[in-house]
């Protein structure tokens, strides 16, 4: 079972996770971070940027979860652009150590296996930040994705395209396809940290944590992971049956343990 931490707000979640990442980098200066895009992880990146002055970051690498297919890399909403703007620049990571799946149509056939090779060559992800879609996706593994899946092209659901339309001028500009780490890829990371805020995520969080393991709920894959931490606000936690138990467990956790 994942450890569930219910926090007061997104900023508190950002501080908690940034502390864990800072501790990881201090312990392992060549740490490999798994980077999610979207709105959810922004407080983590902001809090990490505030801690960056005290960290040795030259050896840190990062791997994005996913990328749109067929969107120019230079487009401001390509995940390469987003990661550069929201993560690499504010924190001060070495851009040469930041990997994003290659969504260019010309090379898309081999892009998945190339990304898998790069992940293995880097020694695997130490800490993977995850958000969850309202339909339960993690990465862009939409409902029905295999728990054994590796990096590959997927078709975004209409729901995900609607959810992401806020980043584009109109909903039909949201690409139809993406390339995403698979659930099998994500499960190889040594520590998963899934964040979710707001009522709109409550169903996806409850189904992922307390529902049955099911390809229909890709987030439920985290139940298979030996070290998964879920950090949610009260609204995202509002449909968890064991919320009081999670609070009790966290409140009584030995201080040295971290997340
Ligand atoms: C992003 C990603 C997605 C998002 C999810 C939630 O790289 O892979 O799984 O984490 O769509 O998006 P937000 O955080 O914008 O609600």
């Amino acid at each position: 079972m994942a450890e569930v931490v219910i926090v007061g707000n997104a900023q508190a979640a950002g501080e908690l996770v940034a502390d864990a990442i800072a501790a990881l980098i201090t312990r392992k200066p060549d740490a490999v971070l798994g980077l999610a895009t979207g709105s959810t992880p922004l407080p983590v990146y902001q809090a990490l940027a505030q801690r960056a002055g005290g960290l040795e970051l030259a050896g840190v690498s990062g791997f994005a979860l996913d990328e749109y297919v067929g969107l120019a890399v230079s487009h401001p909403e390509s995940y390469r652009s987003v990661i550069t703007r929201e993560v690499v620049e504010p924190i001060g990571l070495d851009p040469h150590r930041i990997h994003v799946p290659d969504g260019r149509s010309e090379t898309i056939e081999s892009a998945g296996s190339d990304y898998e090779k790069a992940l293995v060559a880097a020694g695997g992800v130490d800490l993977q930040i995850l958000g969850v879609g309202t339909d339960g996706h993690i990465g862009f593994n939409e409902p029905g994705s295999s728990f054994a899946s590796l990096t590959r092209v997927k078709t975004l659901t209409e729901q995900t395209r609607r959810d992401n339309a806020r980043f584009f001028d109109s909903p039909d500009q949201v690409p139809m396809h993406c390339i995403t780490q698979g659930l099998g890829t994500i499960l190889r990371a040594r520590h998963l940290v899934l964040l979710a805020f707001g009522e709109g995520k409550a169903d996806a969080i409850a189904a992922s944590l307390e529902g049955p393991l099911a390809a229909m709920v890709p987030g439920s894959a985290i139940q298979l992971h030996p070290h998964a931490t879920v950090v949610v606000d009260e609204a995202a936690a509002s449909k968890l049956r064991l919320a009081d138990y999670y609070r009790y467990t966290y409140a009584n956790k030995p201080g040295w343990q971290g997340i």
Side-chain angles (χ1 to χ4, degrees), residues 33-38 41 45 62-68 79 83 98-102 115-116 119 125 127-132 137-141 150-152 178-183 185-187 189 192-194:
L33 304 179
L35 305 168
T37 46
Y45 301 139
F63 281 82
L65 274 173
D66 38 23
E67 177 59 286
Y68 292 116
Y79 281 173
I83 292 272
I98 305 302
H99 308 254
V100 179
D102 185 349
Y115 204 62
E116 290 290 328
L119 275 160
V125 169
L127 186 151
Q128 175 66 57
I129 300 166
L130 296 168
V132 64
H137 70 228
I138 55 173
F140 272 144
N141 295 282
L150 302 179
T151 307
R152 70 222 183 286
C178 62
I179 174 167
T180 179
Q181 289 191 31
L183 296 174
T185 318
I186 291 169
L187 287 173
L192 301 182
V193 179
L194 172 68

Side-chain angles (χ1 to χ4, degrees), residues 7-259:
V7 293
N9 54 41
Q11 196 194 336
E15 305 280 341
L16 181 73
V17 177
D19 281 344
I21 296 173
L24 166 67
I25 293 170
T26 304
R27 190 166 75 234
K28 187 176 180 190
D30 59 348
V32 180
L33 304 179
L35 305 168
T37 46
S39 306
T40 307
L42 295 178
V44 176
Y45 301 139
Q46 282 152 10
L48 196 55
Q50 284 162 7
R51 288 156 177 70
L55 296 171
E56 181 50 69
L57 294 168
V60 174
S61 317
F63 281 82
L65 274 173
D66 38 23
E67 177 59 286
Y68 292 116
V69 170
L71 194 66
V73 178
S74 58
H75 190 288
E77 293 306 325
S78 78
Y79 281 173
R80 168 65 76 177
S81 299
V82 172
I83 292 272
T84 302
R85 190 170 64 234
E86 314 276 14
V87 187
V88 177
E89 290 174 352
I91 297 172
L93 297 174
D94 176 357
H96 298 106
R97 289 178 179 270
I98 305 302
H99 308 254
V100 179
D102 185 349
R104 285 175 302 164
S105 309
E106 311 87 72
T107 45
I108 198 68
E109 274 187 58
S110 57
S113 56
D114 289 348
Y115 204 62
E116 290 290 328
K117 283 183 204 138
L119 275 160
V120 170
V125 169
D126 290 300
L127 186 151
Q128 175 66 57
I129 300 166
L130 296 168
V132 64
T134 56
D135 66 358
H137 70 228
I138 55 173
F140 272 144
N141 295 282
E142 297 286 28
S145 295
S146 161
F147 284 178
S149 51
L150 302 179
T151 307
R152 70 222 183 286
V153 172
K154 290 290 286 181
T155 306
L156 296 172
T157 61
E158 282 299 314
Q159 188 173 332
T160 299
R161 293 184 69 224
R162 263 196 315 275
D163 286 346
N164 285 8
R166 67 189 192 280
F167 296 115
F168 293 83
D169 292 335
S170 73
D172 50 311
Q173 282 179 14
V174 185
M176 184 79 69
H177 296 104
C178 62
I179 174 167
T180 179
Q181 289 191 31
L183 296 174
T185 318
I186 291 169
L187 287 173
R188 287 202 310 255
R190 294 178 190 92
H191 183 193
L192 301 182
V193 179
L194 172 68
L195 299 113
F197 310 121
E199 212 184 324
K201 300 292 176 73
D203 284 323
I205 283 294
S208 295
L209 300 189
E210 296 181 340
L213 274 177
M216 281 303 285
V217 185
S220 68
I222 74 158
Q223 295 180 37
L224 294 168
H225 199 281
H227 187 189
T229 309
V230 179
V231 187
V232 284
D233 65 4
E234 292 287 347
S238 60
K239 296 193 176 167
L240 289 170
R241 272 185 288 167
L242 298 184
D244 285 343
Y245 174 65
Y246 306 139
R247 284 195 190 91
Y248 172 82
T249 306
Y250 191 66
N252 290 292
K253 188 173 178 172
W256 51 266
Q257 230 174 10
I259 58 169

